[in-house]
Amino acid sequence: MNGRIIGTLIKKDVVLFFRDKFFGVMTLLMIVVFIVIFFILPATIRGTIKVGFYVPSFSTFFSKNLMTDGLVIQNMESDEEVRRAVMEKEVQVGISIPGGISALLDSEKPTDIFVYSSSEVPKDIQEMYTVLMNEMVTRMAGKKSPVNWRAVVLGPDLGGSQVPYRNRMIPLFAFMLIITETLGLANLISSEWETGNVQALMVTPLTVIDFFAGKGFTGVGLAFSQAFVFMAVTGGLKQNAFLVITALFLGSILVTGLAFVLASVAKDMMSVLGWGVLVLIVLVLPATAALFPGLFSGWIKVIPSFFLVDILSRAVNYDIGWSGNLKNIFLLGGSGVVCVVFGVFFLKRKIS
Amino acid sequence: MSPDAINVDNIEFSYGNVHAVKGITFDVKEKEIFGFLGPNGAGKSTTIKMLTGQIFPKKGKISVLGMDVTKKTGRVQARIGVSFEQTNLYEQMSAVENLKLFADLFGVKKFDADKLLAMVDLHGRNRDHVSTFSKGMKQRLMLARALVNQPEILFLDEPTEGLDPVSADNIRKIILKERERGAAVFLTTHDMMEADKLSDRVAFIHEGKIVALDSPYHLKQKFGKRLIKVETETASGELKETEITMDEPYTADDVRSLFAEEKVITIHSEEASLEDIFIQITGRGLTG
């Protein structure tokens, strides 16, 4: 590899990228638009909380006392049904009070009452319901009762606070900025191939390795820098910054590999866009899943972009660090390497 | 005798089942302009690709500037310049940017793009995007690009294709200047007049094989017929054209009798062109 030659190629590619009216303008525009949208979206969350409620007796008492703005009560038939409803995200909080609660309280024996919550419900909301229920049980018994309040989180415990929509959008926007470079880089390479520029480059001291290194650095650099700027401006680097940066870097490698694959099959800008849209649709699904949890089932996890979006979402929105993202980091890095190897293989065949 | 700039020994190349080059052998001397002529699909471009290290021969050996091009591709490419038939400039970059890019790739220090652009008559358009250039201007810029590293061998693939006579003549002058500077020139062209004017030697390639190789003069001597074309006026006032083959025992008598018996209006000699010779050897023209 020749550093001087690779540097020359990168400089040339960056100049050409931003002189392409479509991709150059779109790249800059997307950063600005996503940042503007982020700041326009509300920073606070206001929503309705559904509570699944199982109490064999006194259900009317509890229902009436729990009536409040933004709260929907759903009476359930059993403790199992409450757990299932929470697991399947039909309700955010489930409360299960054993039958004969009145007698149990009178006997002054310790009694277990379960407050189930899904992993997306913030701890303060869980605690609020525990306090509320304790208050009502005390009122019903007419005295302080020996109740063991059992808070059970169903599903992975993501902890943290409830995430405002604009923060949920961060992984989606960052990913959109990165993935756009797939099209930009693929178009750059395929147009160089189409116009015979590659042929002209290949009769200079430049080697095939220099060529791929130049394209690789350009692709990773463009994708990473945009996402980095976006993250920095929107506060996505306030916590777990190194983890987020690592994820963005690995994601940029992934899309660069995909750009190589795309460039190897595409003949011109139109075919880049044609194939690229197909790839985008598939890759954007995991990002949407982060925005709307429960929309897709587990199959989404086989799409490599899921690992990137999941890391960003967990690190930025739930303050989960390296230990909780290690598996995703390895999978994202592995997917990136596989994509680059395939991309270089196919593109080299085309160029040679 | 000057050493060889290029030495090609029995090279072959196939694209799948298509045998594009079938064992050709030739050499190009230093400071020589070597014309490589043949119709489309004859194997010209494949040969250039092999000589410039873009593809490697399946059989045979190629030595360029004393180096095996398959083993020292990078070193060879650092000392050659290539101008392609297809315009392959960066259209969204200026003329200067295009030249500087390649000068940087070649590692040329103190590169003067403006001087090179003046040499190919592109001064005044240095900072304009190539997309605004005419075909002739692009062709000249391609030639300038091939010269950024002052190559020892210049490969020119159809350098005057589709150009107006003035632009074509400018390019021919630059080719001759490059020869004067000391470069060998490997030239492929359809234009037989151009090959005739410029080339020290020409090779005819047909269906992947070299069918003739010599100087244009010797090829004409060997294969061509020299003629005298005489235009006369008959008694009824009609014009008639008569061709008399030169260098024959009866030539002088035929000319004498024409002058004695008829009124000669015009008379001029005519040599066989390289095109005629190519047709004579291969049975087909070069432009097909």
Side-chain angles (χ1 to χ4, degrees):
Chain A
M1 279 206 288
N2 185 318
R4 175 182 52 78
I5 287 176
I6 293 169
T8 302
L9 280 183
I10 293 171
K11 190 177 150 194
K12 180 261 300 172
D13 282 341
V14 171
V15 166
L16 287 176
F17 184 88
F18 286 103
R19 281 189 190 167
D20 184 310
K21 282 174 188 159
F22 181 71
F23 287 107
V25 171
M26 198 169 80
T27 297
L28 296 173
L29 205 65
M30 276 179 74
I31 298 179
V32 175
V33 167
F34 285 170
I35 289 172
V36 168
I37 291 175
F38 173 82
F39 284 109
I40 287 173
L41 285 171
T44 53
I45 182 78
R46 176 181 165 79
T48 303
I49 292 190
K50 284 184 184 173
V51 180
F53 211 60
Y54 168 64
V55 51
S57 51
F58 301 104
S59 59
T60 319
F61 172 82
F62 283 104
S63 299
K64 275 184 182 171
N65 282 284
L66 277 169
M67 286 283 260
T68 178
D69 186 33
L71 191 68
V72 176
I73 300 288
Q74 275 183 243
N75 283 312
M76 306 273 169
E77 296 298 320
S78 65
D79 179 69
E80 286 72 29
E81 195 184 347
V82 173
R83 292 166 66 93
R84 182 200 56 76
V86 173
M87 287 283 281
E88 292 178 7
K89 297 178 181 172
E90 288 174 14
V91 296
Q92 281 92 36
V93 178
I95 296 165
S96 181
I97 295 175
I101 180 76
S102 186
L104 283 168
L105 292 174
D106 286 343
S107 70
E108 296 197 351
K109 282 181 186 169
T111 306
D112 287 344
I113 297 182
F114 290 92
V115 178
Y116 303 110
S117 59
S118 87
S119 53
E120 286 155 19
V121 174
K123 267 189 180 150
D124 52 354
I125 302 277
Q126 292 168 21
E127 285 167 10
M128 184 192 84
Y129 278 94
T130 309
V131 170
L132 190 65
M133 289 306 297
N134 193 33
E135 182 63 29
M136 279 195 286
V137 167
T138 304
R139 201 189 302 173
M140 193 176 81
K143 59 184 175 184
K144 184 135 178 80
S145 309
V147 173
N148 293 325
W149 292 97
R150 306 277 187 192
V152 179
V153 175
L154 299 174
D157 187 358
L158 295 174
S161 59
Q162 196 164 14
V163 182
Y165 274 116
R166 77 176 201 179
N167 287 33
R168 281 194 184 186
M169 296 291 269
I170 288 178
L172 175 68
F173 288 163
F175 180 70
M176 288 299 287
L177 286 169
I178 287 178
I179 198 72
T180 307
E181 293 321 306
T182 307
L183 300 183
L185 184 63
N187 180 59
L188 191 68
I189 298 171
S190 69
S191 67
E192 275 192 301
W193 171 253
E194 188 190 3
T195 54
N197 297 139
V198 174
Q199 199 187 1
L201 293 175
M202 288 300 167
V203 290
T204 68
L206 172 143
T207 63
V208 174
I209 294 170
D210 295 331
F211 177 81
F212 280 107
K215 297 293 175 201
F217 286 131
T218 305
V220 171
L222 284 170
F224 175 80
S225 56
Q226 292 172 62
F228 180 83
V229 168
F230 173 77
M231 286 303 221
V233 172
T234 56
L237 297 174
K238 277 184 185 164
Q239 51 195 13
N240 301 306
F242 187 53
L243 172 63
V244 171
I245 288 169
T246 305
L248 294 179
F249 179 70
L250 294 177
S252 304
I253 292 174
L254 174 77
V255 297
T256 300
L258 288 171
F260 286 171
V261 176
L262 213 54
S264 70
V265 294
K267 288 175 183 168
D268 50 28
M269 186 180 172
M270 288 314 291
S271 58
V272 165
L273 289 176
W275 286 106
V277 166
L278 277 178
V279 173
L280 283 189
I281 289 170
V282 174
L283 293 182
V284 165
L285 290 178
T288 319
L291 192 61
F292 305 105
L295 195 63
F296 300 98
S297 50
W299 61 265
I300 208 99
K301 294 180 183 177
V302 300
I303 300 171
S305 54
F306 172 82
F307 312 127
L308 170 62
V309 177
D310 200 37
I311 296 166
L312 294 179
S313 179
R314 291 155 72 98
V316 173
N317 292 331
Y318 299 102
D319 196 18
I320 297 174
W322 283 94
S323 57
N325 282 300
L326 220 49
K327 185 181 157 197
N328 275 348
I329 285 284
F330 278 115
L331 287 170
L332 178 61
S335 311
V337 169
V338 169
C339 279
V340 168
V341 168
F342 271 105
V344 168
F345 175 75
F346 289 124
L347 198 54
K348 195 177 168 197
R349 274 170 62 105
K350 184 174 179 176
I351 288 169
S352 302
Chain B
M1 194 170 179
S2 59
D4 294 342
I6 301 171
N7 200 294
V8 175
D9 183 16
N10 199 29
I11 56 167
E12 292 187 23
F13 192 87
S14 303
Y15 297 100
N17 294 327
V18 180
H19 209 169
V21 175
K22 301 169 184 170
I24 60 173
T25 298
F26 64 90
D27 53 62
V28 179
K29 310 289 179 204
E30 279 189 352
K31 302 178 187 177
E32 180 181 33
I33 298 178
F34 187 87
F36 201 60
L37 316 176
N40 291 334
K44 296 194 304 286
S45 295
T46 304
T47 304
I48 278 204
K49 282 181 179 175
M50 286 191 279
L51 296 180
T52 55
Q54 295 175 70
I55 54 173
F56 294 150
K58 308 281 185 194
K59 280 184 187 171
K61 280 185 180 174
I62 302 173
S63 169
V64 175
L65 297 166
M67 294 177 279
D68 185 337
V69 78
T70 61
K71 291 177 182 161
K72 296 187 175 174
T73 315
R75 284 193 189 179
V76 168
Q77 287 172 335
R79 293 167 62 185
I80 63 173
V82 185
S83 177
F84 298 85
E85 181 181 7
Q86 180 199 6
T87 306
N88 56 6
L89 297 156
Y90 285 99
E91 303 264 333
Q92 294 310 313
M93 292 167 77
S94 70
V96 168
E97 285 172 327
N98 265 280
L99 295 185
K100 277 191 173 169
L101 166 66
F102 280 78
D104 288 344
L105 291 174
F106 279 107
V108 180
K109 288 168 187 167
K110 295 179 183 173
F111 175 66
D112 188 348
D114 295 335
K115 188 178 166 190
L116 196 51
L117 287 170
M119 186 178 136
V120 295
D121 272 343
L122 282 175
H123 47 273
R125 301 295 302 269
N126 303 19
R127 265 72 190 171
D128 293 347
H129 278 191
V130 173
S131 56
T132 64
F133 285 13
S134 68
K135 181 167 184 187
M137 292 164 77
K138 287 178 184 175
Q139 204 76 40
R140 278 180 274 155
L141 183 57
M142 295 245 295
L143 182 57
R145 188 181 67 182
L147 299 175
V148 292
N149 58 332
Q150 295 202 303
E152 290 164 63
I153 305 174
L154 193 53
F155 292 89
L156 304 175
D157 197 356
E158 305 285 358
T160 58
E161 174 88 350
L163 297 188
D164 63 84
V166 176
S167 297
D169 201 46
N170 283 342
I171 283 185
R172 286 184 204 116
K173 282 176 187 162
I174 293 165
I175 293 170
L176 290 171
K177 268 188 196 170
E178 281 303 300
R179 196 254 297 270
E180 276 174 33
R181 183 179 61 80
V185 180
F186 188 90
L187 172 74
T188 71
T189 179
H190 282 118
D191 187 340
M192 291 297 107
M193 295 291 283
E194 178 171 279
D196 202 349
K197 278 184 199 168
L198 291 174
S199 307
D200 298 308
R201 288 189 301 150
V202 295
F204 289 158
I205 184 166
H206 180 59
E207 294 178 352
K209 288 180 182 171
I210 289 181
V211 291
L213 195 165
D214 212 330
S215 67
Y217 175 78
H218 284 124
L219 283 174
K220 287 174 194 170
Q221 288 283 313
K222 190 173 175 185
F223 295 102
K225 278 184 186 172
R226 298 195 306 146
L227 298 171
I228 296 172
K229 282 192 173 177
V230 185
E231 196 176 43
T232 54
E233 190 179 308
T234 61
S236 60
E238 288 177 1
L239 292 175
K240 188 178 84 176
E241 192 176 270
T242 307
E243 287 184 356
I244 301 169
T245 308
M246 290 171 76
D247 309 318
E248 300 290 346
Y250 51 82
T251 304
D253 289 341
D254 283 358
V255 172
R256 200 176 300 119
S257 64
L258 259 178
F259 270 88
E261 294 162 15
E262 296 181 41
K263 184 182 176 186
V264 175
I265 307 294
T266 63
I267 180 167
H268 54 264
S269 63
E270 192 174 281
E271 281 187 327
S273 68
L274 289 179
E275 173 105 39
D276 296 333
I277 296 166
F278 189 87
I279 292 168
Q280 192 183 327
I281 294 171
T282 65
R284 59 167 294 184
L286 273 161
T287 50

